[in-house]
């Protein structure tokens, strides 16, 4: 969409962008083990937040457990950002070791500026071929001229200066982090910062940020996994049992101390079978409970999810998806667990499946999922993914989901004629807390009577199946089932879910700015499907583009199985691990102009 | 995962084994583990053991689960077959493979999380069935790959890097293996190659379920003061009950030992294990007293290492299942087809009147 760029040379573009100040600037810092690229990225994100900007930082890591090469991929902006941009405006390479591992994740364009340390090897061919401008900055040598100077601090100062972040703020953030390390360390970092700022003045221009919004308001710097944990806490989760797995572990790491403070408890189980069954036990005993895992763990939990459905035990499973199947690509993102989340249970097993569609939305959706599971006495699967979970964003404080009444509990009035699985109009039956007199029952995976007595009778099976389906179908989910952007009269819609919503949202906004009226629909509630609601959301739409990150078109098939779609449907379905970029989506919309 | 092939430089002075192969021929890709990780030393010991035994690499199946430890088969025996399976299930994959082809040399590599947490059931059943394999657990007391959580072998009272105290009791895999009927049970330490290499050689030649619990410190997450799986702690508390020399059929026993201090165990294939006793009363052929000794010494804070139990004439899964000597995958139609008489009798049984 940036046709104007084509006929200008890189320096010209950069000068123009530097003068005008851009709404968004993307930069990457890469380096081998110990160089501190990731650290520098985190600091820049904090600085941007302090300065009133918004931002997003994704991470790319090599195969080493610790100390391997790393890339911090940042996008800073004057308004909230939901996705990485199409290319990077600035690439700072502390060194080029193992660059090839990241090359595909670092698209550059004419106008991009690459900072290279001439003492750290040749600029790779892929960089020279991209048409980006290359400037030399001897970061390591410069760092050595300052006693105790660190190369990533030089890079940090240079990058901040180039893109227009206030270097004094960088100093403040650094000082706060280094505070305990003593005056010598602080002085060294201040000197390295000053030197970095000074040498950056002589560098060719890079795209600079426009001033931040005047009324900045509060900013949170948070990862999706932290937001998930916070959403769970806000919803009243008191017990978590889980087995560590990448990329879900940070949910647990964040929740363990937080639960301890709120009087809850986290147990590290011996595997996922134990984890989910502990959660079932805790929920049976009366405490809202949750586990977090990734694809292989969800697969192991599948048997117990059936038990939770049959016994009507509320619980939440957060699946932070990664490249699959099997061990797949554990450190990178993909939306390929939709099939197992929707269809992976045995028997007729109605349950909830929800998906956050942004980093802040991890809070909203998890909190809502817990509330729904508790209200509907059923398991809920929350499909987050690595791109949401392990990326950090600078956001405005996210909203909270609509409040719901909690678990429907049995009362003393029911004593002596209590029916745990009573057939009600809503399908929801009062649940007794074990220990109460007169309302004892046996929770059971066997089919049962309303009283909870095992039964193989057709009539009991049919009644209980219908009741369990009804409680999910009849419930009023309100407006939160999907995010919809656009207006009546839009004839084109983009239908997506989860982390693919980020680039889709940006593509829709860009399209509308260019006069192509496209509606965005992002499903937050995947199960139960809401055919009437989607039909209303699609009113007037003639053409639909489905966007998802899977190889097998899992979302498209899911839509076909559950919904009526407009006559003309196109699908942009690409597996991970590379993120879908807004331009890719726009390119699919343009022929419909 | 990236794969960095190692350049094959044959040093003229590198020892050549009976197959004409040097140690280089038993290496794998360059390790991506943390520098100093105990697991890398175990890989080196495996390479040395297989080279010295002149095992043809292509006759070896190296199997693993998931973890830093389970990544190591990429870093040894590059010319062997292998299966990098899922977390905790290596023993079952090995069981299936061994049932279908009893002729391969099975080497299973796992971690304490892989075998004592998620895969405890599989670990137990492979050993009690007597799968003829060498099963090495690279035991560091943490989940290295997922960044340092306590594992089920972390000792009660030991602390994490951040100072959290582990309050759960530890699972002792050696004790379990003894109880489950493994016919070769040893414990060693990645930092003691002189002890470890002969143990791996003996285990590889042992025609039954051979288990080695190898302490293997995680320098990244469990090598601090307060850990009972750190290099310093293991060195200080290591109490070897014996020293093993592994002797192939042709080698002679030359060294002189004080009478009663050496025991010679002749294995099924004619190879010899020479055990130099360090603990006079320790008897490696008595399961019950081995268990009692282990328990007593563990209570006293010692880490007992050495060959803790061996049955010279073990039985294995194929013997129990009464299978023929030809591997299942090599039985052809002629061997398998029961003939038309058998078919006729099956048909007759289904016929009504
Ligand atoms: C079903 C499943 N759950 C969780 C994981 C994540 N995971 C990978 S390795 C590992 C633990 C590894 O610990 P250990 O076996 O002790 O190996 P180490 O890294 O310490 O050598 C875990 C929990 C997984 N791969 N699969
Ligand atoms: S994290 Fe621990 S176990 Fe894993 S490679 Fe590093 S030192 Fe070894
Ligand atoms: Mg371990």
């Amino acid at each position: 969409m940036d046709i104007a760029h084509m006929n200008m040379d890189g320096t010209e573009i950069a000068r123009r962008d530097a003068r005008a100040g851009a709404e968004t600037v993307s930069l990457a810092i890469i380096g081998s083990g110990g160089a501190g690229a990731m650290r520098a990225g985190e600091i820049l994100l904090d600085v941007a937040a302090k300065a009133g900007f918004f931002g997003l930082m994704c991470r790319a890591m090599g195969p080493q457990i610790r100390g391997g090469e790393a890339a911090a991929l940042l996008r800073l902006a004057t308004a909230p950002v939901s996705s990485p941009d199409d290319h990077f405006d600035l690439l700072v390479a502390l060194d080029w070791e193992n660059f090839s591992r990241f090359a595909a994740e670092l698209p550059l364009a004419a106008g991009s500026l690459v900072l290279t340390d001439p003492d750290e090897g040749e600029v790779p061919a892929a960089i020279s071929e991209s048409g980006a401008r290359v400037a030399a900055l001897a970061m390591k040598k410069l760092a050595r001229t300052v006693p105790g100077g660190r190369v990533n601090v030089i890079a940090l100062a240079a990058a901040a200066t180039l893109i227009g972040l206030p270097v004094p703020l960088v100093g403040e953030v650094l000082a706060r982090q280094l505070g305990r390390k003593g005056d010598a360390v602080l002085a060294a970092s201040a000197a390295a910062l000053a030197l970095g700022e000074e040498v950056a003045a002589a560098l060719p221009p890079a795209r600079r940020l426009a001033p931040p919004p005047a009324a900045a308001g509060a900013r949170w710097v948070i990862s999706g996994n932290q937001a998930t944990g916070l959403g769970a806490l806000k919803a009243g989760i008191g017990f978590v049992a889980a087995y560590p797995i990448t990329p879900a572990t940070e949910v647990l790491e964040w929740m363990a101390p937080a639960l301890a403070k709120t009087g809850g408890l986290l147990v590290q189980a011996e595997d996922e079978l134990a984890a989910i069954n502990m959660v079932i036990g805790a929920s049976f005993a009366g405490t809202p409970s949750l586990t977090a895992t990734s694809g292989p763990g969800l697969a192991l939990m599948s048997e117990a999810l059936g038990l939770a459905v049959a016994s009507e035990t509320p619980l939440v499973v957060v699946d932070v998806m990664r490249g699959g199947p099997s061990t797949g690509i554990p450190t990178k993102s993909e939306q390929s667990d939709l099939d197992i989340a929707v269809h992976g249970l045995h028997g007729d097993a109605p349950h909830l499946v929800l998906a956050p569609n942004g980093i802040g939305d991890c809070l909203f959706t998890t909190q809502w999922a817990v509330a729904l599971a508790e209200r509907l006495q059923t398991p809920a699967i929350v499909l987050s993914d690595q791109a949401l979970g392990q990326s950090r964003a600078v956001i405005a404080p996210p909203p909270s989901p609509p409040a719901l009444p909690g678990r429907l509990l049995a009362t003393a009035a029911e004593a002596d004629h209590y029916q745990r699985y009573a057939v009600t109009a809503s399908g929801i039956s009062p649940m007794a807390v074990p220990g109460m007199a007169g309302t004892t029952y046996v929770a059971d995976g066997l089919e049962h009577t309303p009283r909870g007595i095992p039964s193989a009778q057709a009539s009991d099976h049919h009644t209980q199946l219908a009741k369990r389906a009804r409680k999910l179908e009849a419930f009023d989910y309100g407006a939160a089932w999907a995010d919809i952007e656009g207006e009546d009269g839009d004839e084109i819609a983009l239908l997506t879910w989860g982390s693919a919503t980020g680039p889709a949202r940006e593509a829709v906004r860009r399209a509308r700015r260019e006069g192509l009226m496209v509606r965005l629909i992002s499903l937050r509630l995947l199960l139960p499907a809401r055919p009437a609601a989607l039909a209303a959301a699609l009113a007037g739409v003639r053409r639909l583009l489905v966007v998802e990150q899977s190889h097998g078109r899992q979302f498209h098939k899911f839509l076909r199985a559950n919904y009526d779609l407009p006559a003309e449907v196109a699908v942009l379905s690409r597996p991970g691990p590379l993120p879908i970029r807004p331009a890719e989506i726009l390119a699919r919309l343009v022929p419909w102009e | 995962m990236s794969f960095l092939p190692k350049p094959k430089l044959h040093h003229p002075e590198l020892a050549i084994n009976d197959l004409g192969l040097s140690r280089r021929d038993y290496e794998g890709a360059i390790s991506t583990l943390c520098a100093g990780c105990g697991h890398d030393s175990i890989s080196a010991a495996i390479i040395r053991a297989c080279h010295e035994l002149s095992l043809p690499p292509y006759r070896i199946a190296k199997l693993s689960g998931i973890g830093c430890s389970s990544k190591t088969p990429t870093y040894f025996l590059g010319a062997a077959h292998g299966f990098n399976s899922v977390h905790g299930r290596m023993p079952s994959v090995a069981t299936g493979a061994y049932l279908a082809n009893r002729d391969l040399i099975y080497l299973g590599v796992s971690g304490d999380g892989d075998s004592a947490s998620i895969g405890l059931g599989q670990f137990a059943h492979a050993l009690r069935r007597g799968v003829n394999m060498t099963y090495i657990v690279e035991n560091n007391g943490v989940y290295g790959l997922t960044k340092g959580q306590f594992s089920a072998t972390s000792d009660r009272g030991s602390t994490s890097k951040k100072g959290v105290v582990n309050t759960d009791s530890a699972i002792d895999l050696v004790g379990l293996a003894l109880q489950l009927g493994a016919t070769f049970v040893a414990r060693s330490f990645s930092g003691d190659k002189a002890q470890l290499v002969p143990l791996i050689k003996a285990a590889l030649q042992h025609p039954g379920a051979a288990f080695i619990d190898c302490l293997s410190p995680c320098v990244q997450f469990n090598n601090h003061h307060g850990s009972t799986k750190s290099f310093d702690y293991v060195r200080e508390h290591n109490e070897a009950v014996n020293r093993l020399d592994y002797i192939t059929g042709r080698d002679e026993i030359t060294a002189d030992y004080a009478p009663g201090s050496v025991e010679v165990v002749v294995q099924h294939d004619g190879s010899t294990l020479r055990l130099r006793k360090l603990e006079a009363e320790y008897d490696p052929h008595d399961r019950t007293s081995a268990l009692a000794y282990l328990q007593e010494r563990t209570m006293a804070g010692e880490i007992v290492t050495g060959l803790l139990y061996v049955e010279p004439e073990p039985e294995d899964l194929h013997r129990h299942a009464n299978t023929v000597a030809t591997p299942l995958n090599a039985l052809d139609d002629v061997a398998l087809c029961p003939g038309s008489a058998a078919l006729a009798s099956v048909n007759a049984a289904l016929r009504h009147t």
Side-chain angles (χ1 to χ4, degrees):
Chain A
M1 293 265 116
D2 235 338
I3 309 282
H5 274 54
M6 306 280 230
N7 301 322
M8 292 165 86
D9 93 333
T11 313
E12 240 179 286
I13 299 167
R15 271 211 193 95
R16 187 203 63 188
D17 287 351
R19 264 197 314 274
E23 283 173 12
T24 163
V25 170
S26 291
L27 75 155
I29 307 175
I30 65 170
S32 57
M38 206 56 89
R39 199 92 201 83
E42 280 163 3
I43 290 168
L44 276 183
L45 194 71
D46 282 351
V47 170
K50 262 187 166 299
F53 292 103
F54 293 89
L56 177 68
M57 178 179 145
C58 312
R59 39 180 65 222
M61 316 281 280
Q64 270 91 345
I65 308 304
R66 271 290 156 95
E69 61 278 0
L73 314 174
L74 286 102
R75 185 181 188 190
L76 307 177
T78 53
V81 278
S82 58
S83 129
D85 207 345
D86 301 328
H87 59 256
F88 288 91
D89 305 299
L90 176 64
L91 168 62
V92 183
L94 304 179
D95 56 64
W96 294 107
E97 233 173 276
N98 300 312
F99 164 75
S100 61
R101 291 207 181 115
F102 301 130
E105 294 172 56
L106 295 168
L108 297 170
S112 304
L113 179 66
V114 176
L115 287 191
T116 179
D117 189 329
D119 303 318
E120 292 296 315
E122 290 276 301
V123 175
I127 298 283
S128 335
E129 285 158 17
S130 71
R133 297 164 300 140
V134 176
L137 183 64
M139 292 172 269
K140 215 168 236 170
K141 262 194 196 140
L142 284 167
R144 261 187 246 124
T145 65
V146 180
R150 287 185 52 86
V151 60
N152 64 342
V153 178
I154 300 277
L156 197 55
T161 310
L162 282 170
I163 63 171
L165 280 182
V167 175
L169 266 189
V170 181
E172 261 179 48
V173 170
L174 258 178
R176 211 181 44 217
Q177 297 197 351
L178 299 172
R180 275 174 295 141
K181 299 202 172 169
D183 293 343
V185 176
L186 283 181
S189 97
L193 270 183
L195 181 59
E197 186 177 15
E198 184 193 320
V199 293
L203 290 169
R207 200 171 207 211
R208 285 175 74 85
L209 280 164
R219 294 281 185 281
W220 286 11
V221 183
I222 195 166
S223 75
N225 279 343
Q226 291 172 341
T228 296
L230 184 54
L233 272 195
K234 287 183 72 178
I237 288 293
F239 178 74
V240 174
Y243 187 63
I245 186 165
T246 308
T249 308
E250 297 87 9
V251 177
L252 317 171
E253 282 171 352
W254 190 88
M255 286 199 82
L259 274 169
K261 278 185 212 135
T262 57
L265 185 66
L266 181 143
V267 169
Q268 183 185 297
E270 60 273 30
D271 60 24
E272 290 83 356
L273 303 181
I276 190 164
N277 284 289
M278 286 180 190
V279 162
I280 287 178
S283 180
F284 161 74
T287 300
S289 302
L290 168 146
T291 184
T293 187
S294 189
L298 178 63
L300 285 171
M301 291 178 183
S302 155
E303 182 206 32
L305 283 168
L307 175 60
V309 169
S311 62
E312 302 199 41
T313 309
L315 62 87
V316 173
V317 178
V318 177
D319 172 9
V320 187
M321 296 181 287
R322 60 193 215 183
S326 194
T327 313
I329 310 182
T331 52
K332 295 186 183 179
S333 208
E334 196 167 71
Q335 294 185 299
S336 50
D337 289 348
L338 178 62
D339 272 355
I340 185 178
V342 169
H343 302 294
L345 277 61
H346 55 288
D348 282 318
H351 60 285
L352 296 162
V353 179
L354 297 95
N357 61 22
I359 289 175
D361 195 50
C362 288
L363 186 157
F364 180 102
T365 298
T366 308
Q367 191 177 346
W368 194 38
V370 175
L372 287 174
E374 286 292 316
R375 187 63 201 158
L376 299 173
Q377 298 178 26
T378 196
I381 299 173
V382 176
L383 292 176
S384 175
D385 63 22
Q386 186 275 337
L388 296 174
Q390 292 192 322
S391 300
R392 294 175 75 73
V394 184
I395 55 173
S400 291
L404 288 178
R407 196 182 285 197
L408 181 66
L409 295 174
T411 61
E414 281 156 286
D416 304 326
H417 56 88
Y418 176 60
Q419 294 197 325
R420 167 64 186 102
Y421 302 109
V423 180
T424 59
S426 66
I428 301 169
S429 333
M431 188 172 177
V433 180
M436 219 173 132
T439 58
T440 57
Y441 76 101
V442 177
D444 208 330
L446 280 167
E447 192 54 281
H448 38 252
T449 65
R451 173 78 185 90
I453 311 293
S455 165
Q457 303 285 325
S459 57
D460 288 323
H461 188 42
H462 297 179
T463 311
Q464 292 296 321
L465 281 171
K467 159 188 149 46
R468 293 193 291 258
R470 185 166 68 246
K471 66 179 180 181
L472 267 63
E473 281 303 329
F475 189 75
D476 178 5
Y477 295 91
W481 70 282
D483 277 357
I484 302 169
E485 279 178 31
E487 279 145 40
D488 290 348
D490 297 338
E491 294 191 348
I492 302 175
L494 214 152
L495 183 50
T496 188
W497 73 287
S499 65
T501 306
R505 211 184 277 280
E506 176 153 344
V508 164
R509 288 184 187 166
R510 283 194 212 168
R512 294 186 81 88
R513 210 183 293 173
E514 310 239 335
L516 179 60
M517 301 320 267
V518 181
R519 192 179 302 171
L520 173 80
I521 305 169
S522 166
L523 301 190
R524 183 177 287 107
L525 181 68
L526 294 156
L527 276 191
R530 305 281 82 200
L534 185 63
L538 284 172
V541 169
R542 290 190 304 115
R543 289 163 151 172
L544 183 70
L545 177 63
V546 174
V547 180
E548 60 170 311
Q549 196 186 28
S550 86
H551 183 261
R553 299 182 161 217
Q554 297 188 12
F555 183 56
H556 181 229
K557 289 178 192 160
F558 164 80
L559 292 171
R560 289 286 183 201
N562 292 286
Y563 292 103
D564 286 333
L565 300 182
E568 199 175 334
V569 177
V571 183
L572 195 175
S573 177
R574 186 162 60 57
L578 296 180
I580 296 174
R581 296 193 187 266
E584 227 177 312
I585 301 173
L586 267 178
R588 299 293 292 268
L589 289 174
V590 166
W592 281 348
E593 207 163 343
Chain B
M1 199 186 351
S2 63
F3 181 90
L4 299 177
K6 250 188 209 171
K8 280 229 159 77
L9 296 172
H10 281 275
H11 195 274
E13 278 166 31
L14 271 183
I16 299 295
N17 68 10
D18 288 355
L19 299 175
L21 300 176
S22 81
R23 204 183 292 172
R24 289 269 188 281
D25 298 308
Y26 289 81
E27 289 178 347
I30 292 172
S31 171
T32 59
L33 302 185
C34 305
C37 174
H39 300 349
D40 278 335
S41 309
I42 303 176
S43 296
I46 291 171
I47 289 166
R48 223 173 100 184
C50 292
H51 175 248
E52 288 176 12
L53 287 175
S54 295
L55 300 179
Y58 71 96
R59 297 299 301 165
I60 301 173
K62 45 179 186 176
L63 300 101
S64 62
I66 299 292
C68 297
S69 36
S70 292
K71 278 169 94 172
T72 61
T74 308
Y75 318 133
F76 61 75
L77 297 176
H81 295 272
F83 204 135
N84 186 207
S85 72
V86 290
H87 199 22
R89 315 302 171 206
M90 176 277 286
S92 312
V93 177
T95 304
Y98 178 57
L99 283 170
N101 185 358
R102 60 186 299 171
D103 278 356
L104 296 181
I105 301 158
Y106 291 98
L107 172 59
V109 173
S110 177
D112 42 318
D114 203 55
S115 282
S117 296
I118 192 167
L120 189 61
Q122 280 64 44
F123 162 85
H125 290 280
L127 294 187
R128 68 173 263 278
R129 286 201 173 90
V131 177
N132 179 0
M133 69 184 294
T134 298
Y135 191 141
I136 302 177
V137 167
E138 306 189 346
N139 187 352
N140 53 18
V142 286
Y143 303 151
L145 192 64
T146 52
K147 308 203 189 302
Q149 300 84 2
F150 287 125
S151 82
T153 66
S154 302
D155 288 306
R156 170 177 286 181
S158 64
T159 56
S160 75
K161 209 172 169 181
K162 286 186 191 145
V164 179
V165 180
N166 176 38
T167 51
D168 296 336
S169 300
I171 289 177
D172 180 358
L173 291 174
V174 159
L176 276 182
L178 282 168
Q179 217 165 19
L180 289 162
T183 46
F184 179 110
V185 181
R187 175 147 50 214
S188 189
F189 171 40
S190 65
D192 186 355
K193 275 219 187 103
Q195 183 190 49
L196 179 59
V197 174
L199 281 173
I200 296 176
K201 286 164 81 174
L204 283 165
Q205 298 296 91
H206 178 81
F211 174 66
I212 303 176
D213 175 25
C214 190
L215 294 161
S216 176
C218 168
V219 291
Q220 192 61 252
F221 300 112
N222 205 14
N223 199 30
H224 47 272
H225 182 76
S227 158
T228 57
K229 301 276 193 290
S230 66
F231 277 110
D232 287 347
Y233 189 93
V234 176
R235 274 201 201 101
E236 267 163 42
H237 296 80
N238 190 345
E239 292 294 333
V241 290
N242 50 35
R243 283 270 158 188
L244 180 71
D245 298 318
Y246 180 84
I247 301 151
T248 51
R250 291 162 317 175
D251 297 344
E252 275 176 58
I253 302 171
T254 47
D256 276 336
Y257 292 100
S261 70
V262 170
E263 189 205 349
V264 176
V265 184
V266 181
Q267 298 220 106
H268 189 75
D269 64 347
S271 60
T272 309
L273 304 181
R274 185 179 54 195
L275 275 175
R276 275 177 284 140
K277 291 195 168 190
L278 301 178
E279 190 59 52
E281 86 269 28
Y282 192 81
D283 175 8
H285 307 302
D286 181 346
R287 256 183 219 281
T288 319
S289 57
L291 267 167
Y293 182 87
L294 202 70
Q295 200 125 31
E296 181 196 305
R297 291 304 158 124
T298 306
M299 297 302 276
E302 286 179 11
I303 301 171
V304 178
T305 60
L307 178 55
L308 304 173
Y309 180 76
V310 61
E311 241 169 76
E313 292 286 336
E315 288 202 340
D316 85 330
L317 177 54
H318 276 284
R319 179 99 157 261
H320 300 155
N322 200 24
T323 55
V324 294
T326 313
L328 183 57
N329 71 350
L331 292 172
D332 58 10
D333 285 354
V334 179
L336 289 173
C337 181
S340 41
L343 187 60
S345 83
V346 171
N347 283 339
L350 295 169
R351 207 162 277 140
H352 287 271
T353 61

